[in-house]
Amino acid sequence: MDCYHLPVPAISHLITQPIGRLGFVLTPGEHVLPYTALDYFDHSLRRSSRLLLETEATYELIGPEGRLASQAVERKAGFVAELPDGPLKQALSDLSPLRRLLPIGSGEMQHAVLALVDDQEKTHCRAYLLFLSDRGGRSAALAQLQGIKGYDASLDALRGRIQELGGSGFDIDALYGKFFAAAAADEAPPGVKIAVDASAFDAANRIISTHIPMARANEHGIIADYDTEFLHDYRVHLRKIRSVLSLFQGIYSDIQANRLKSSFATIMARTNRLRDLDVQLQQRQACHDLVPKSLHHGLDALYGLLADQRTAEQAKLSRYLRSRRYKQEIAGLAALFVRPQNLKHGRNAHLPAHDYACSLIWKRYRKVCRIASGIDAGTPDAEVHALRIECKKLRYLMEFFEPVFPPAPFKSLLKPLKGLQQNLGLFNDYSVQQASLQATLRGLPGGMGASSLEIAQSVGALTAVLHARQLEERSKVVKSFAQFNSPQTQQTFSRLFQEGDKPS
């Protein structure tokens, strides 16, 4: 099938102008339907060239090359997993079952069928039309052409007429750009731009002043509890800000740096418990899959308690983010870095950003190598966790200063570093899950009777499995480090950060 994007006025010209002896018959749909466009927090649908529209009784999916799929539903679904079995759910099966579908825009839509017929009313080909409009007055029409065997010339003629009237090949990005520009703009947040000749002080200010508004853009999603990813993204940006304040030593005065670290740490601490509960609840299905069915009842009771705790914790964080105290504090912090005249320079503030970055990254890289080279089967967990933290610091430093280094060799270092981090992250996840389960078990309310025993049995079995997975992941860390610390990687690190290779 061919699909074309047309201006709506072109349809009127199309149906009133016969093609030779062939004329048009338009059969509009019965209703004009309000729609809500949906996508994930990370714009998964847009990035996969799909657009999902929700109406009162159906879900309409516009896929790659303009293919249309529709499925009737009795009730709205917040998650793909909640959709009834059918073609639409199957078409969306690659999406995460844990992510919530979020509104990105709304308007009205109407279907129609346009048939090209001869004087004996015999249909030679069809165009399935979809009219879209939004509240801002923008409109468009999509035409999906369907040929009929034996009438290829008629289909070619219809295609040619559509092109004459301004029809262009279907482009999902153009559709998003026209109707959902704000959502499209959110997909790729601006990177932090640092001039090659910038000072370390200017670089730090630029990084922090960029990440504060990016963190704050998630506040509405956290308050409304749209999706757990809003809180996760909020915390990522706060963590990067805190990393700058901790790793960029001597950029600000010691007293001011400590005050700033304390301010952001206090804000971050408000989110810790809710994030821990989110992570635990997201692991629910995976944990069910790890233990026998006979233990699922105990896990269900456990996760029911965690869900209740999450509801209370989310309400608490929501009140805090809406409070005048928080709004004044975060606005004051943002203003401080946008207009940095009130920031006190430290001993390293004047250093060139490139030279300062070389020193920081080389020092952190050597520390990662020193810790990783000593890890074996008998290394205490604490040292493995220390390696994970040092790798995270190294990656943050490299990402912060990426603009002041040659792009090709710089990017070649990030890939093996991410591979090492992935193993270390899984090792940490298994460790954290075990600790969280034990803490939850210790905190069970009294009076639960048999349920407490069921929960304890389930947690015991699950902890044993998680511990085994953690040991497996530890064995992979040594292999990942060997890949990360290849001779070529060592040479590139030395050339960029010890010898100070600059972009050409």
Side-chain angles (χ1 to χ4, degrees), residues 424-443:
L424 290 166
L426 288 171
F427 176 89
N428 183 67
D429 288 346
Y430 293 135
S431 176
V432 169
Q433 286 180 57
Q434 293 173 69
S436 297
L437 287 169
Q438 294 302 318
T440 302
L441 197 58
R442 290 192 297 269

Side-chain angles (χ1 to χ4, degrees), residues 179-197:
F179 291 107
F180 317 111
D186 288 344
E187 181 184 0
V192 180
K193 297 180 179 179
I194 301 175
V196 175
D197 59 350

Side-chain angles (χ1 to χ4, degrees), residues 462-489:
L462 182 58
T463 300
V465 176
L466 292 173
H467 181 64
R469 293 286 181 93
Q470 184 183 4
L471 293 178
E472 290 176 12
E473 211 59 47
R474 172 203 284 271
S475 68
K476 297 177 183 177
V477 169
V478 175
K479 182 178 179 181
S480 293
F481 174 66
Q483 293 174 339
F484 166 70
N485 204 37
S486 67
Q488 182 179 356
T489 299

Side-chain angles (χ1 to χ4, degrees), residues 226-240:
Y226 286 140
D227 192 291
T228 59
E229 282 299 297
F230 285 97
L231 177 60
H232 175 59
D233 197 60
Y234 178 83
R235 285 169 55 85
V236 167
H237 292 298
L238 287 185
R239 193 179 298 118
K240 289 184 176 182

Side-chain angles (χ1 to χ4, degrees), residues 281-441:
L281 289 166
Q282 287 171 4
Q283 295 295 326
R284 180 171 186 163
Q285 186 57 52
C287 289
H288 271 71
D289 295 341
L290 294 176
V291 298
K293 275 192 173 182
S294 60
L295 298 175
H296 286 187
H297 192 271
L299 286 183
D300 289 338
L302 172 67
Y303 283 111
L305 291 173
L306 294 177
D308 290 341
Q309 292 176 25
R310 187 197 178 279
T311 298
E313 201 63 37
Q314 196 280 328
K316 184 195 299 185
L317 181 57
S318 179
R319 287 193 298 271
Y320 169 66
L321 294 178
R322 294 197 306 265
S323 69
R324 177 178 298 179
R325 175 185 172 187
Y326 167 75
K327 291 178 179 178
Q328 289 178 340
E329 182 174 18
I330 196 70
L333 289 168
L336 191 61
F337 291 96
V338 172
R339 297 185 295 275
Q341 58 266 31
N342 291 325
L343 290 169
K344 300 183 184 301
H345 290 59
R347 60 189 179 279
N348 294 325
H350 67 283
L351 295 176
H354 177 272
D355 297 348
Y356 184 67
C358 287
S359 173
L360 290 180
I361 294 172
W362 180 251
K363 179 181 178 181
R364 194 64 52 180
Y365 165 66
R366 298 301 300 160
K367 189 170 185 179
V368 165
C369 293
R370 185 170 65 253
I371 297 174
S373 61
I375 289 179
D376 56 28
T379 303
D381 287 356
E383 292 187 32
V384 183
H385 290 306
L387 176 60
R388 182 185 66 86
I389 292 170
E390 291 303 326
C391 284
K392 180 181 289 187
K393 291 178 179 178
L394 174 60
R395 182 173 170 185
Y396 279 163
L397 282 172
M398 293 177 68
E399 289 176 341
F400 289 151
F401 288 110
E402 184 173 357
V404 299
F405 289 97
F410 193 90
K411 290 183 183 299
S412 73
L413 298 177
L414 285 174
K415 185 175 180 180
L417 177 57
K418 290 177 182 178
L420 177 58
Q421 278 191 286
Q422 184 176 13
N423 287 131
L424 290 166
L426 288 171
F427 176 89
N428 183 67
D429 288 346
Y430 293 135
S431 176
V432 169
Q433 286 180 57
Q434 293 173 69
S436 297
L437 287 169
Q438 294 302 318
T440 302
L441 197 58

Side-chain angles (χ1 to χ4, degrees), residues 38-354:
L38 303 171
D39 204 346
Y40 278 8
F41 171 89
D42 62 355
H43 306 275
S44 297
L45 283 165
R46 181 173 187 262
R47 288 190 288 107
S48 60
S49 299
R50 291 175 289 183
L51 174 63
L52 182 61
L53 305 176
E54 173 191 77
T55 71
E56 184 175 346
T58 65
Y59 281 91
E60 311 272 345
L61 180 67
I62 303 174
E65 301 178 3
R67 293 186 180 89
L68 304 177
S70 178
Q71 185 172 328
V73 293
E74 295 181 359
R75 62 183 179 85
K76 294 183 179 181
F79 301 86
V80 170
E82 295 176 347
L83 290 168
D85 292 338
L88 190 74
K89 186 174 183 178
Q90 180 61 34
L92 299 174
S93 61
D94 60 303
L95 299 178
S96 169
L98 300 176
R99 299 274 69 85
R100 182 182 293 274
L101 292 165
L102 304 173
I104 60 170
S106 60
E108 292 183 334
M109 59 183 288
Q110 185 178 20
H111 288 281
V113 178
L114 184 66
L116 187 61
V117 302
D118 57 25
D119 51 11
Q120 296 181 6
E121 299 185 357
K122 193 167 187 176
T123 300
H124 286 218
C125 56
R126 297 184 183 88
Y128 293 94
L129 305 177
L130 177 63
F131 297 95
L132 294 173
S133 63
D134 68 5
R135 294 178 180 178
R138 291 173 287 268
S139 62
L142 301 181
Q144 189 181 72
L145 308 189
Q146 182 189 58
I148 294 177
K149 188 175 181 180
Y151 295 104
D152 292 346
S154 298
L155 179 62
D156 290 341
L158 175 58
R159 186 184 296 112
R161 175 61 58 83
I162 287 175
Q163 292 172 348
E164 288 174 7
L165 293 173
S168 57
F170 177 75
D171 183 350
I172 195 74
D173 288 330
L175 204 59
Y176 270 96
K178 184 168 189 172
F179 291 107
F180 317 111
D186 288 344
E187 181 184 0
V192 180
K193 297 180 179 179
I194 301 175
V196 175
D197 59 350
S199 69
F201 180 81
D202 290 339
N205 294 338
R206 176 63 64 89
I207 293 167
I208 295 175
S209 65
T210 299
H211 282 286
I212 291 177
M214 291 170 74
R216 298 206 65 191
N218 293 285
E219 290 171 356
H220 74 287
I222 300 171
I223 292 169
D225 201 18
Y226 286 140
D227 192 291
T228 59
E229 282 299 297
F230 285 97
L231 177 60
H232 175 59
D233 197 60
Y234 178 83
R235 285 169 55 85
V236 167
H237 292 298
L238 287 185
R239 193 179 298 118
K240 289 184 176 182
I241 292 167
R242 294 177 64 196
S243 294
V244 172
L245 295 170
S246 297
L247 298 174
F248 290 27
Q249 295 180 5
I251 300 301
Y252 308 109
S253 72
D254 291 342
I255 292 176
Q256 190 165 51
N258 288 332
R259 286 176 179 169
L260 290 168
K261 283 190 283 188
S262 177
S263 294
F264 284 107
T266 300
I267 294 172
M268 186 77 152
R270 296 272 190 167
T271 70
N272 289 345
R273 180 55 181 159
L274 180 57
R275 180 57 186 167
D276 288 345
L277 289 165
D278 282 343
V279 171
Q280 284 183 276
L281 289 166
Q282 287 171 4
Q283 295 295 326
R284 180 171 186 163
Q285 186 57 52
C287 289
H288 271 71
D289 295 341
L290 294 176
V291 298
K293 275 192 173 182
S294 60
L295 298 175
H296 286 187
H297 192 271
L299 286 183
D300 289 338
L302 172 67
Y303 283 111
L305 291 173
L306 294 177
D308 290 341
Q309 292 176 25
R310 187 197 178 279
T311 298
E313 201 63 37
Q314 196 280 328
K316 184 195 299 185
L317 181 57
S318 179
R319 287 193 298 271
Y320 169 66
L321 294 178
R322 294 197 306 265
S323 69
R324 177 178 298 179
R325 175 185 172 187
Y326 167 75
K327 291 178 179 178
Q328 289 178 340
E329 182 174 18
I330 196 70
L333 289 168
L336 191 61
F337 291 96
V338 172
R339 297 185 295 275
Q341 58 266 31
N342 291 325
L343 290 169
K344 300 183 184 301
H345 290 59
R347 60 189 179 279
N348 294 325
H350 67 283
L351 295 176
H354 177 272

